[in-house]
């Protein structure tokens, strides 16, 4: 085994699949080259396989394959290769080679200790300066979404369960009133109500580290109370983060002895004041924009379910967990918090379909897939049923020109039928596990199966055409 040592950190917004797929890809690529690597994962359950200070200090290179904040300030003074989590999956071998070739950038900052607020902000800013602006915005946004998701899942499901006692089960004046259901709705509503502040807080935290957290949280509360919805949460998160970055620059001439005062007093007080004042001022126009967008989507749902379904289906299946998929998913998740459960129904259907398409393809045309593909396809029935789209990626990666359009078609059919059946899904994740709380759940399953079977037949026929008439030997 070579003495060359690499440490890596992976993380994706949902923290369910991409995070661990990138970890496995990097470990296998390093093993193939005889390189020592340790990969820290930032999944939905938290940090696993954590890197120690000594491991980071002894590393020859650092690979960050993440679409969220993975505390990059720890790597000050190290050579860092910073890419998206999807590149960590698809280009793991190249990333390992790049590390061996000395590619990447030295992260600027004070190497002695990145423990105080100013050093962390400086280190984060150093990484930002070397990162594409589009990816940077996406990364900050996804850090907020990643932390927001558990609130939406818990709140959405509890509110939906409360409706099992009747749509007016929380109204004491109605005959359907049930005390337990009313409590469920109250608890779920509180969780959903935290969505915008948490989104804002962790966008700001991604930009300005811990000093940004409290400012982003307060800005998000103002956005939430002002009726600006998730759009206001996004604006307040970025505003709070960059207000703290600006304060860091303005206060950097103060004596070192005042560092503690900055962290505990100046950053939160001035940051909250400035961010709060601006958010208060723009809440009214942002509320109008938010209401306009909701009306626009509601109009699409009622008048053009086909157009909406095709747009949602194509977005969800185009990159399966990538930025375009996440744009549709985040919109659906955000709308859930505002009581719109229709949009998310189509998004969920479109995300569930791709892995099921691969499953039906290997089921119908098993003789034209090798044993690895057959096993992966059958496992995808489980992954798809639990809303893990990423299981279809290995099939798409082998032949993206042919496979991705098939996935987009199957997902579009599933989404269009979902909207036409007026299905409502109150949870942003879980797949068929949340069926008991889905309105018109049976029709939702039918819509997804039709899209998946059509896609599976097409994918199988295409694969048969590529392979030729001779079946593949297992």
């Amino acid at each position: 085994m070579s003495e060359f040592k690499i440490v890596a950190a992976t993380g994706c917004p949902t923290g369910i699949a991409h995070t661990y797929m990138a970890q496995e890809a990097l470990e296998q690529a390093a093993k193939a080259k005889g390189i020592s690597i340790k990969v820290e994962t930032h999944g939905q359950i938290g940090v696993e396989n954590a890197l120690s200070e000594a491991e980071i200090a002894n590393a020859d290179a650092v690979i960050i394959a993440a679409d969220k904040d993975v505390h990059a300030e720890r790597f000050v003074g190290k050579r860092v290769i910073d890419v998206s989590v999807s590149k960590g999956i698809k280009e793991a071998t190249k990333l390992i080679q790049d590390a061996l070739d000395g590619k990447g950038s030295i992260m600027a900052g004070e190497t002695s200790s990145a423990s105080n607020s100013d050093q962390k902000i400086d280190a984060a800013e150093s990484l930002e300066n070397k990162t594409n602006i589009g990816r940077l915005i996406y990364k900050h946004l996804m850090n907020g979404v990643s932390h927001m998701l558990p609130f939406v899942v818990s709140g959405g499901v509890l509110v939906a369960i409360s409706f099992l006692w009747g749509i007016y089960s929380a109204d004491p004046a109605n005959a359907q009133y049930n005390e337990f259901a009313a409590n469920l709705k109250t608890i779920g509503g509180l969780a959903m109500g935290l969505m915008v502040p948490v989104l804002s807080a962790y966008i700001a935290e991604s930009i300005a580290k811990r000093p940004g957290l409290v400012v982003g949280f307060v800005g998000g509360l103002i956005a939430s109370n002002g009726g600006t919805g998730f759009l206001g949460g996004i604006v307040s998160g970025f505003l709070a983060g960059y207000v703290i970055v600006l304060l860091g620059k303005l206060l950097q001439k103060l004596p070192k002895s005042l560092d503690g005062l900055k962290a505990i007093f100046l950053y939160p007080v001035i940051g909250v004041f400035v961010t709060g004042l601006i958010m208060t001022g723009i809440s009214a126009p942002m509320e109008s924009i938010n209401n306009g967008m909701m009306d626009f989507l509601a109009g699409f749902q009622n008048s053009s379910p086909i157009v909406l379904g095709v747009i949602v289906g194509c977005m969800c299946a185009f990159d399966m967990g990538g930025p375009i998929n996440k744009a549709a998913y985040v919109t659906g998740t955000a709308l859930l918090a505002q009581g719109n459960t229709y949009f998310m129904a189509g998004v969920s259907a479109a995300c569930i379909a791709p892995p099921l398409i691969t499953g039906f393809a290997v089921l119908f045309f098993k003789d034209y897939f090798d044993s690895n593909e057959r096993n992966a396809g059958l496992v995808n029935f489980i992954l798809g049923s639990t809303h893990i789209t990423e299981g279809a990626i290995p099939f798409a990666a082998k032949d993206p020109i042919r496979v991705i359009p098939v996935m987009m078609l199957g997902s579009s059919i599933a989404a269009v039928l979902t909207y036409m059946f007026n299905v409502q899904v109150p949870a942003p994740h879980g797949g068929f596990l949340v069926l008991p709380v889905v309105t018109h759940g049976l029709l939702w399953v039918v819509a997804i199966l039709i899209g998946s079977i059509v896609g599976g037949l097409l994918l199988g026929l295409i694969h048969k055409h590529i392979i030729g008439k001779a079946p593949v030997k297992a």
Side-chain angles (χ1 to χ4, degrees):
M1 184 71 74
S2 167
E3 289 299 317
F4 197 90
K5 294 183 177 64
I6 298 175
V7 294
T10 65
C12 65
T14 53
I16 296 171
H18 274 78
T19 301
Y20 304 101
M21 292 167 74
Q23 177 196 24
E24 184 180 4
L26 287 169
E27 288 175 345
Q28 290 182 352
K31 185 179 179 182
K33 289 185 177 293
I35 300 300
S36 170
I37 189 170
K38 181 174 181 181
V39 185
E40 178 184 277
T41 55
H42 292 246
Q44 198 55 254
I45 61 172
V47 177
E48 295 176 282
N49 205 28
L51 300 171
S52 68
E53 288 187 11
E55 288 166 336
I56 295 171
N58 293 327
D60 298 296
V62 178
I63 297 174
I64 298 175
D67 292 336
K68 60 186 284 190
D69 180 33
V70 292
H71 309 300
E73 65 275 9
R74 297 172 293 167
F75 307 130
V76 165
K78 309 301 293 187
R79 184 169 294 282
V80 176
I81 298 173
D82 183 24
V83 296
S84 66
V85 69
S86 61
K87 283 194 174 183
I89 299 170
K90 298 172 185 173
E91 302 176 15
T93 302
K94 180 179 180 299
L95 291 174
I96 296 295
Q97 188 59 52
D98 286 348
L100 287 169
D101 293 341
K103 293 184 180 178
S105 304
I106 301 293
M107 181 175 286
E110 295 183 35
T111 57
S112 57
S113 168
S115 58
N116 72 43
S117 300
D118 283 350
Q119 289 172 348
K120 289 180 178 178
I121 294 171
D122 289 345
E125 192 181 356
S126 165
L127 189 63
E128 287 202 1
N129 292 336
K130 296 179 173 63
T131 307
N132 173 280
I133 183 69
R135 173 167 148 64
L136 201 60
I137 292 172
Y138 176 74
K139 195 171 181 177
H140 295 323
L141 179 60
M142 288 302 110
N143 192 60
V145 170
S146 174
H147 289 85
M148 171 193 79
L149 270 178
F151 291 88
V152 185
V153 172
S154 57
V157 170
L158 290 179
V159 170
I161 290 174
S162 75
F163 291 140
L164 294 177
W165 281 268
I167 194 72
Y168 301 110
S169 58
D171 182 0
N174 193 283
Q176 294 179 344
Y177 177 74
N178 179 286
E179 188 175 354
F180 181 69
N183 285 332
L184 277 182
K185 189 176 181 184
T186 300
I187 295 167
L190 286 171
M192 294 286 277
L194 284 171
M195 188 198 94
V196 171
V198 170
L199 171 69
S200 173
Y202 281 94
I203 290 174
E205 191 260 356
S206 179
I207 297 168
K209 304 302 139 189
R210 183 165 175 158
L213 196 64
V214 63
V215 182
F217 200 86
V218 175
L221 274 174
I222 295 171
S224 181
N225 293 339
T228 64
F230 77 99
L231 287 177
I234 293 171
V235 170
S236 68
F238 281 97
L239 176 64
Y242 286 110
V243 163
I244 293 297
V245 170
L246 179 62
L247 277 176
K249 290 184 177 300
L250 294 175
L251 301 176
Q252 65 184 356
K253 298 294 184 186
L254 291 179
K256 277 280 184 189
S257 58
L258 296 179
D259 278 357
L261 181 67
K262 281 196 283 185
I264 195 68
F265 186 80
L266 296 179
Y267 283 144
V269 173
I270 301 175
V272 166
F273 171 70
V274 174
T275 304
L277 211 56
I278 295 173
M279 283 309 300
T280 301
I282 66 174
S283 283
M286 287 218 62
E287 183 182 12
S288 300
I289 294 171
N290 187 54
N291 290 337
M293 191 194 73
M294 292 287 289
D295 292 342
F296 175 75
L297 287 172
F300 252 122
Q301 286 164 193
N302 298 328
S303 63
S304 304
I306 296 176
V307 175
L308 182 61
V310 170
I311 293 172
V312 167
C314 290
M315 289 179 71
C316 291
F318 179 75
D319 55 359
M320 289 173 277
I324 296 175
N325 171 288
K326 284 293 180 290
Y329 182 72
V330 170
T331 304
T333 304
L335 291 175
L336 273 184
Q338 297 176 245
N340 183 323
T341 53
Y342 289 95
F343 191 87
M344 194 69 219
V347 172
S348 294
C351 288
I352 290 171
L356 296 189
I357 287 172
T358 66
F360 282 117
V362 302
L363 194 65
F364 296 149
F365 296 85
K366 62 180 180 182
D367 292 338
Y368 297 93
F369 290 89
D370 63 34
S371 59
N372 289 331
E373 290 170 328
R374 286 199 298 270
N375 290 336
L378 294 176
V379 169
N380 277 347
F381 277 119
I382 300 172
L383 296 180
S385 298
T386 52
H387 194 141
I388 298 178
T389 316
E390 289 84 349
I393 288 177
F395 288 83
K398 286 182 180 176
D399 189 9
I401 301 299
R402 293 184 181 90
V403 174
I404 289 178
V406 171
M407 301 290 183
M408 292 166 70
L409 175 65
S411 290
S412 296
I413 292 172
V416 167
L417 292 175
T418 296
Y419 289 130
M420 293 181 74
F421 293 155
N422 280 324
V423 176
Q424 298 178 53
V425 175
H429 222 285
F432 295 147
L433 296 176
V434 299
L435 263 178
V437 296
V438 173
T439 304
H440 305 312
L442 183 60
L443 289 175
W444 189 49
V445 175
V446 169
I448 293 169
L449 287 179
I450 291 174
S452 301
I453 290 172
V454 170
L457 286 170
L458 279 175
L459 182 59
L461 288 170
I462 290 171
H463 209 75
K464 180 181 177 182
H465 176 74
I466 295 170
I467 297 297
K469 293 183 179 178
V472 175
K473 293 180 181 178

